[in-house]
Amino acid sequence: MTQQTFMYEAKEQILIIHLPRELDHHNCRDLKYETDLLLAENYITKVVFDFSRTEFMDSSGIGILLNRYKQMARSGGKVTLYGVNAQVGRVLAIGGINRLMEHFDTKEAAVAG
């Protein structure tokens, strides 16, 4: 079994979160904890989620996205996504994420958007 880890990249006031192949209840607790620390320690105005490796996501992933969206909205920040495949895109649409966060094809566009 491959390890489901998150990778983080900071560019100025932007936090890019590279998600693993599966985003589910098993690893969402770690994601929430790690991003809570990163957001508390840094002045972040935008969170970008990289879905380019993600093949599966359940409702726990929706919860994390909504939590980060609310947190960024309270501070005047923004959340964007990129690299979403069709299957994950359907889950995001059902969860209402499409109405809240902009989706981009590339990392560069998501960071700029």
mmCIF file of all heavy atoms in Angstrom, residues 46-51 78-82 101-104 109-111 113:
data_model
loop_
_atom_site.group_PDB
_atom_site.id
_atom_site.type_symbol
_atom_site.label_atom_id
_atom_site.label_comp_id
_atom_site.label_asym_id
_atom_site.label_seq_id
_atom_site.Cartn_x
_atom_site.Cartn_y
_atom_site.Cartn_z
ATOM 1 N N LYS A 46 -4.231 32.833 0.291
ATOM 2 C CA LYS A 46 -4.848 31.949 -0.697
ATOM 3 C C LYS A 46 -4.373 30.516 -0.460
ATOM 4 O O LYS A 46 -3.194 30.271 -0.218
ATOM 5 C CB LYS A 46 -4.470 32.359 -2.117
ATOM 6 C CG LYS A 46 -5.099 31.435 -3.175
ATOM 7 C CD LYS A 46 -4.603 31.758 -4.575
ATOM 8 C CE LYS A 46 -5.483 32.824 -5.163
ATOM 9 N NZ LYS A 46 -5.130 33.080 -6.576
ATOM 10 N N VAL A 47 -5.319 29.580 -0.531
ATOM 11 C CA VAL A 47 -5.011 28.157 -0.460
ATOM 12 C C VAL A 47 -5.362 27.555 -1.820
ATOM 13 O O VAL A 47 -6.456 27.773 -2.334
ATOM 14 C CB VAL A 47 -5.801 27.448 0.662
ATOM 15 C CG1 VAL A 47 -5.539 25.948 0.645
ATOM 16 C CG2 VAL A 47 -5.452 28.039 2.020
ATOM 17 N N VAL A 48 -4.411 26.827 -2.396
ATOM 18 C CA VAL A 48 -4.607 26.172 -3.686
ATOM 19 C C VAL A 48 -4.503 24.668 -3.462
ATOM 20 O O VAL A 48 -3.486 24.179 -2.966
ATOM 21 C CB VAL A 48 -3.542 26.630 -4.712
ATOM 22 C CG1 VAL A 48 -3.702 25.884 -6.024
ATOM 23 C CG2 VAL A 48 -3.602 28.139 -4.920
ATOM 24 N N PHE A 49 -5.550 23.945 -3.826
ATOM 25 C CA PHE A 49 -5.546 22.486 -3.708
ATOM 26 C C PHE A 49 -5.189 21.874 -5.060
ATOM 27 O O PHE A 49 -5.841 22.151 -6.064
ATOM 28 C CB PHE A 49 -6.920 21.964 -3.260
ATOM 29 C CG PHE A 49 -7.210 22.199 -1.806
ATOM 30 C CD1 PHE A 49 -7.951 23.296 -1.398
ATOM 31 C CD2 PHE A 49 -6.743 21.319 -0.844
ATOM 32 C CE1 PHE A 49 -8.230 23.515 -0.064
ATOM 33 C CE2 PHE A 49 -7.015 21.521 0.495
ATOM 34 C CZ PHE A 49 -7.756 22.625 0.890
ATOM 35 N N ASP A 50 -4.169 21.030 -5.057
ATOM 36 C CA ASP A 50 -3.713 20.326 -6.258
ATOM 37 C C ASP A 50 -4.315 18.922 -6.258
ATOM 38 O O ASP A 50 -3.931 18.067 -5.475
ATOM 39 C CB ASP A 50 -2.182 20.249 -6.242
ATOM 40 C CG ASP A 50 -1.610 19.300 -7.278
ATOM 41 O OD1 ASP A 50 -2.351 18.865 -8.185
ATOM 42 O OD2 ASP A 50 -0.410 19.000 -7.177
ATOM 43 N N PHE A 51 -5.255 18.700 -7.170
ATOM 44 C CA PHE A 51 -5.920 17.406 -7.299
ATOM 45 C C PHE A 51 -5.320 16.552 -8.407
ATOM 46 O O PHE A 51 -5.913 15.540 -8.787
ATOM 47 C CB PHE A 51 -7.417 17.613 -7.590
ATOM 48 C CG PHE A 51 -8.239 17.902 -6.371
ATOM 49 C CD1 PHE A 51 -8.428 19.207 -5.942
ATOM 50 C CD2 PHE A 51 -8.823 16.878 -5.655
ATOM 51 C CE1 PHE A 51 -9.201 19.485 -4.827
ATOM 52 C CE2 PHE A 51 -9.597 17.133 -4.529
ATOM 53 C CZ PHE A 51 -9.781 18.450 -4.120
ATOM 54 N N LYS A 78 -8.846 33.415 -0.256
ATOM 55 C CA LYS A 78 -9.476 32.703 -1.361
ATOM 56 C C LYS A 78 -8.952 31.265 -1.422
ATOM 57 O O LYS A 78 -7.825 31.001 -1.017
ATOM 58 C CB LYS A 78 -9.126 33.443 -2.650
ATOM 59 C CG LYS A 78 -9.812 32.965 -3.884
ATOM 60 C CD LYS A 78 -9.470 33.904 -5.039
ATOM 61 C CE LYS A 78 -10.212 33.488 -6.275
ATOM 62 N NZ LYS A 78 -9.918 34.370 -7.404
ATOM 63 N N VAL A 79 -9.783 30.361 -1.968
ATOM 64 C CA VAL A 79 -9.378 28.977 -2.197
ATOM 65 C C VAL A 79 -9.641 28.644 -3.659
ATOM 66 O O VAL A 79 -10.712 28.946 -4.182
ATOM 67 C CB VAL A 79 -10.169 27.990 -1.298
ATOM 68 C CG1 VAL A 79 -9.768 26.551 -1.591
ATOM 69 C CG2 VAL A 79 -9.953 28.315 0.177
ATOM 70 N N THR A 80 -8.642 28.044 -4.307
ATOM 71 C CA THR A 80 -8.807 27.583 -5.681
ATOM 72 C C THR A 80 -8.347 26.137 -5.785
ATOM 73 O O THR A 80 -7.652 25.627 -4.908
ATOM 74 C CB THR A 80 -8.015 28.450 -6.692
ATOM 75 O OG1 THR A 80 -6.621 28.383 -6.378
ATOM 76 C CG2 THR A 80 -8.474 29.897 -6.672
ATOM 77 N N LEU A 81 -8.734 25.489 -6.900
ATOM 78 C CA LEU A 81 -8.399 24.087 -7.143
ATOM 79 C C LEU A 81 -7.826 23.955 -8.548
ATOM 80 O O LEU A 81 -8.164 24.735 -9.431
ATOM 81 C CB LEU A 81 -9.644 23.206 -7.086
ATOM 82 C CG LEU A 81 -10.674 23.429 -5.999
ATOM 83 C CD1 LEU A 81 -11.907 22.583 -6.283
ATOM 84 C CD2 LEU A 81 -10.092 23.076 -4.657
ATOM 85 N N TYR A 82 -7.020 22.911 -8.745
ATOM 86 C CA TYR A 82 -6.610 22.578 -10.113
ATOM 87 C C TYR A 82 -6.335 21.087 -10.228
ATOM 88 O O TYR A 82 -6.161 20.389 -9.235
ATOM 89 C CB TYR A 82 -5.402 23.400 -10.564
ATOM 90 C CG TYR A 82 -4.070 22.992 -9.981
ATOM 91 C CD1 TYR A 82 -3.233 22.114 -10.654
ATOM 92 C CD2 TYR A 82 -3.634 23.508 -8.772
ATOM 93 C CE1 TYR A 82 -2.002 21.746 -10.136
ATOM 94 C CE2 TYR A 82 -2.409 23.158 -8.245
ATOM 95 C CZ TYR A 82 -1.594 22.280 -8.936
ATOM 96 O OH TYR A 82 -0.377 21.925 -8.411
ATOM 97 N N MET A 101 -15.638 27.642 -5.194
ATOM 98 C CA MET A 101 -14.219 27.741 -5.518
ATOM 99 C C MET A 101 -13.999 27.638 -7.016
ATOM 100 O O MET A 101 -14.630 26.821 -7.679
ATOM 101 C CB MET A 101 -13.441 26.607 -4.832
ATOM 102 C CG MET A 101 -13.576 26.580 -3.351
ATOM 103 S SD MET A 101 -12.844 25.081 -2.680
ATOM 104 C CE MET A 101 -13.648 25.045 -1.089
ATOM 105 N N GLU A 102 -13.084 28.455 -7.511
ATOM 106 C CA GLU A 102 -12.744 28.389 -8.925
ATOM 107 C C GLU A 102 -11.859 27.178 -9.194
ATOM 108 O O GLU A 102 -10.974 26.868 -8.402
ATOM 109 C CB GLU A 102 -12.007 29.652 -9.360
ATOM 110 C CG GLU A 102 -12.891 30.870 -9.477
ATOM 111 C CD GLU A 102 -12.116 32.033 -10.049
ATOM 112 O OE1 GLU A 102 -12.003 32.119 -11.289
ATOM 113 O OE2 GLU A 102 -11.618 32.826 -9.238
ATOM 114 N N HIS A 103 -12.110 26.525 -10.342
ATOM 115 C CA HIS A 103 -11.332 25.374 -10.781
ATOM 116 C C HIS A 103 -10.468 25.802 -11.959
ATOM 117 O O HIS A 103 -10.950 26.498 -12.857
ATOM 118 C CB HIS A 103 -12.247 24.237 -11.243
ATOM 119 C CG HIS A 103 -13.056 23.619 -10.145
ATOM 120 N ND1 HIS A 103 -13.978 24.317 -9.408
ATOM 121 C CD2 HIS A 103 -13.061 22.362 -9.665
ATOM 122 C CE1 HIS A 103 -14.523 23.506 -8.527
ATOM 123 N NE2 HIS A 103 -13.987 22.319 -8.660
ATOM 124 N N PHE A 104 -9.233 25.359 -11.968
ATOM 125 C CA PHE A 104 -8.305 25.676 -13.049
ATOM 126 C C PHE A 104 -7.653 24.395 -13.558
ATOM 127 O O PHE A 104 -7.623 23.384 -12.849
ATOM 128 C CB PHE A 104 -7.235 26.652 -12.566
ATOM 129 C CG PHE A 104 -7.791 27.979 -12.146
ATOM 130 C CD1 PHE A 104 -8.165 28.214 -10.820
ATOM 131 C CD2 PHE A 104 -7.968 29.000 -13.060
ATOM 132 C CE1 PHE A 104 -8.678 29.438 -10.424
ATOM 133 C CE2 PHE A 104 -8.489 30.229 -12.689
ATOM 134 C CZ PHE A 104 -8.846 30.446 -11.366
ATOM 135 N N ALA A 109 -2.318 28.811 -13.341
ATOM 136 C CA ALA A 109 -3.606 29.504 -13.424
ATOM 137 C C ALA A 109 -4.298 29.570 -12.068
ATOM 138 O O ALA A 109 -4.894 30.594 -11.718
ATOM 139 C CB ALA A 109 -4.507 28.809 -14.450
ATOM 140 N N ALA A 110 -4.212 28.494 -11.298
ATOM 141 C CA ALA A 110 -4.842 28.462 -9.970
ATOM 142 C C ALA A 110 -4.181 29.455 -9.019
ATOM 143 O O ALA A 110 -4.851 30.118 -8.225
ATOM 144 C CB ALA A 110 -4.793 27.049 -9.404
ATOM 145 N N VAL A 111 -2.869 29.565 -9.099
ATOM 146 C CA VAL A 111 -2.139 30.509 -8.250
ATOM 147 C C VAL A 111 -2.479 31.947 -8.649
ATOM 148 O O VAL A 111 -2.703 32.801 -7.804
ATOM 149 C CB VAL A 111 -0.618 30.245 -8.334
ATOM 150 C CG1 VAL A 111 0.166 31.376 -7.711
ATOM 151 C CG2 VAL A 111 -0.279 28.920 -7.648
ATOM 152 N N GLY A 113 -5.227 32.913 -10.266
ATOM 153 C CA GLY A 113 -6.667 33.164 -10.227
ATOM 154 C C GLY A 113 -7.185 33.609 -8.966
ATOM 155 O O GLY A 113 -7.382 33.913 -8.026
#
